[in-house]
Amino acid sequence: MKAVGYKKSLPIEDAQSLIDLQIERPAVSGHDLLVKVAAVSVNPVDVKIRAARAPAGDTAEILGWDAVGEVVEAGDQVSGFKPGDQVWYAGAINRPGTNAEYHLVDARIVGRAPVSASHAEAAALPLTALTAHEMLFDRLRVNDAVPGAAKAIVIIGGAGGVGSIAIQLLRALTDLTVIATASRAETQAWVKSLGAHHAIDHSQPLAAQIEALGIGAPSFVFSTNYSDSYVQQISEFIAPQGRFGLIDDPEHFDIRPFKAKAVSIHWELMFTRSLFTTPDIARQGEILTEVAALLDAGKIKSTATETLGTINAENLKRAHAILESGKAKGKLVLEGF
């Protein structure tokens, strides 16, 4: 079968940074589904792993942690899915990725694909929707009020893939005031179109901009990138006993500025449940089912902003280069082989 991977960690400009492959179709067992992949999207985690995880020996590493497709086979421990079902999922970081014609995935982290969306539109959402949903409702517990604080949340990096779906989930499932940061007119318009009540510029001091809104100290902050750069600012404007969540990997992260306000710190990694096969691993399938229902009901929309063609090395290189530029808006998707 066709696939795209890499054999050495190389700059994306290198011709061998991602290569087209022919590999064996994987065999199904246990909890696994074999899915014929119809579309994928590209996430920052793809870029991080390509740069940091060197494949062993001559074996190629296959990236990709978003897919929509059709079930071809089901393992003997699978329930709830059968061949022909249309599914979507984000996969597991410790297994081969979705940039392949056929892909094995644990059925417990899979949901039925939305019926109202195209393959490309659906492929944009699983990883970011799971990340945002888990952060908002499992980690930050945004439906549990912070005493005396404004019922508001600040999303730093609101125009990216995770921020884009987080804004929509907040508007669909909570009554919080959503303040999203974006530094360009284009991205500020984007976050507003997704439902953000306010768009502020993260290249300028944040505390003054939030104070000018006149709503009080926000209960929650969700940082999607450059979190270490905003620690001091967040500690100034977040409410006492507020909750701060982050998903990036700052090299240095000093939490001491949060002590006086007893702010709790929450990290989210979408892959934790699959990586450790947690007792609640099936919660990811449930979340994807909920998100599909929201999409089909018109309460949220796909965050796909550009389709880069079929799934091959050349098009995936383009996607990685765009993500590395730091100027991506929404999600980049590829469809078919």
Side-chain angles (χ1 to χ4, degrees):
M1 68 176 187
K2 294 179 181 178
V4 179
Y6 67 100
K7 294 187 176 182
K8 293 182 179 179
S9 295
L10 297 166
I12 200 60
E13 298 81 13
D14 192 294
Q16 298 298 304
S17 60
L18 291 170
I19 55 177
D20 293 308
L21 303 165
Q22 282 287 340
I23 61 175
E24 290 188 9
R25 178 167 145 171
V28 172
S29 64
H31 288 286
D32 281 339
L33 298 174
L34 181 66
V35 176
K36 181 174 175 56
V37 174
V40 301
S41 72
V42 185
N43 293 283
V45 65
D46 298 61
V47 173
K48 290 177 183 178
I49 289 182
R50 194 198 83 245
R53 183 193 289 176
D58 195 46
T59 303
E61 188 86 15
I62 298 174
L63 303 172
W65 287 280
D66 261 331
V68 59
E70 180 180 327
V71 175
V72 176
E73 296 179 47
D76 57 7
Q77 296 183 54
V78 171
S79 61
F81 294 101
K82 64 184 186 305
D85 287 344
Q86 297 293 311
V87 295
W88 66 340
Y89 57 90
I93 202 169
N94 56 339
R95 303 187 69 176
T98 58
N99 294 336
E101 279 189 275
Y102 294 90
H103 183 249
L104 280 183
V105 61
D106 190 313
R108 294 169 293 184
I109 60 173
V110 171
R112 291 187 182 276
V115 298
S116 64
S118 69
H119 288 149
E121 289 169 339
L125 286 174
L127 185 146
T128 54
L130 285 165
T131 300
H133 197 289
E134 289 183 350
M135 174 60 86
L136 296 173
F137 300 104
D138 293 353
R139 316 294 176 228
L140 294 178
R141 305 185 318 278
V142 295
N143 284 325
D144 294 341
V146 174
K151 294 181 67 174
I153 182 169
V154 176
I155 301 178
I156 295 176
V162 174
S164 293
I165 189 60
I167 291 167
Q168 296 185 75
L169 291 175
L170 286 161
R171 291 305 309 272
L173 301 174
T174 80
D175 61 354
L176 292 173
T177 296
V178 180
I179 306 164
T181 81
S183 60
R184 293 177 285 136
E186 176 190 8
T187 50
Q188 289 197 352
W190 170 251
V191 300
K192 286 280 194 74
S193 75
L194 297 173
H197 295 93
H198 306 284
I200 61 176
D201 185 352
H202 51 237
S203 70
Q204 302 298 320
L206 294 175
Q209 295 179 76
I210 292 170
E211 185 178 1
L213 298 176
I215 62 174
S219 297
F220 312 104
V221 177
F222 179 5
S223 178
T224 68
N225 52 35
Y226 304 110
S227 297
D228 49 340
S229 302
Y230 297 104
V231 165
Q232 193 59 47
Q233 295 189 64
I234 294 168
S235 70
E236 292 172 12
F237 69 71
I238 195 170
Q241 301 186 90
R243 303 178 201 127
F244 170 40
L246 66 157
I247 58 172
D248 58 331
D249 306 292
E251 185 174 351
H252 303 288
F253 186 68
D254 184 4
I255 66 172
R256 289 175 295 179
F258 297 108
K259 181 176 181 180
K261 289 184 175 178
V263 170
S264 57
I265 312 299
H266 304 264
W267 231 301
E268 159 63 15
L269 178 66
M270 189 281 302
F271 297 113
T272 295
R273 282 173 161 135
S274 58
L275 188 60
F276 295 96
T277 319
T278 60
D280 63 348
I281 185 173
R283 178 63 185 139
Q284 290 205 329
E286 295 168 0
I287 291 170
L288 287 172
T289 297
E290 180 182 353
V291 173
L294 290 171
L295 192 64
D296 288 337
K299 294 183 178 180
I300 64 172
K301 63 181 181 180
S302 172
T303 56
T305 51
E306 188 173 2
T307 301
L308 297 178
T310 56
I311 305 166
N312 60 38
E314 197 60 36
N315 289 335
L316 281 165
K317 286 177 191 174
R318 289 172 57 207
H320 280 234
I322 292 170
L323 287 176
E324 289 180 4
S325 76
K327 297 186 181 299
K329 179 186 75 175
K331 292 296 294 292
L332 305 171
V333 298
L334 298 93
E335 187 172 11
F337 278 88

